[in-house]
Structures are given as C-alpha cells and as structure tokens.
Amino acid sequence: MERAKLKQALRDRKLSLRDVFALADADPEGVAARSRPLEIIRSLPGWRKAGRAEALLRECEIAEQRRIRGLGPHQRAALLARVSPLLPV
C-alpha cells in the first residue's frame, strides 16, 4: 500500500492506528513500517490541528524522526491509549 493510500484510509476510517501497527509488523520494509508516526497521527480524524500531533509525540517520548517500525511496545501502547479514546465517533 503506498503512503498516500495509507493516509487516505486512515482519514476515511478504513484503517486504525492499531491496523497500521499490524501492517508494519507483517511487512517490516513496507510503507506502514517506514512511515513516521507524526504523519500517521496527522492522518487520523481530529488530529490535523497544528501542533496537536507533535505534542502527543512529546508526551509519549517519541522523536519526530522515528519510524513506525522503530517504536517499542510501550510507545505503541502509549499512542493507542491516547489516540483511540479521542477519535470522533
């Protein structure tokens, strides 16, 4: 799945953050694994406001340069815990 399609699927709620993690685990060299968490978070509904995604990464102690495949289990869990309850229905 190319990056633009991945981001559009997130915007359209066809994929979730959890799905992106699963895609990254299934294909460590794929687009999902090579994506930066910042661009993935910004693609989620309700997270496009300037600075909101960056603040979330700082809160979860994730460098903006990090890739999805480079996130540890605690970082992934922290992102899921903070993003999932805040997504609009």
Side-chain angles (χ1 to χ4, degrees):
M1 181 179 293
E2 68 182 61
R3 194 172 318 276
K5 288 182 183 178
L6 175 68
K7 291 164 65 172
Q8 188 62 49
L10 288 164
R11 280 191 285 280
D12 294 341
R13 297 185 186 172
K14 293 178 182 173
L15 287 178
S16 68
L17 183 58
R18 191 176 306 274
D19 295 331
V20 172
F21 291 152
L23 287 170
D25 291 341
D27 183 7
E29 296 303 318
V31 171
R34 291 181 288 132
S35 296
R36 298 192 190 279
L38 180 61
E39 63 187 62
I40 296 298
I41 298 299
R42 282 184 180 160
S43 297
L44 294 170
W47 286 91
R48 294 198 53 95
K49 285 185 184 176
R52 189 169 182 203
E54 291 87 345
L56 174 66
L57 291 181
R58 282 192 302 275
E59 185 180 321
C60 295
E61 298 180 3
I62 299 171
E64 288 187 26
Q65 301 83 2
R66 176 90 49 192
R67 307 280 178 169
I68 292 290
R69 70 176 164 224
L71 296 179
H74 296 292
Q75 291 172 320
R76 287 182 178 204
L79 281 178
L80 286 171
R82 286 169 178 83
V83 168
S84 299
L86 301 176
L87 285 177
V89 178

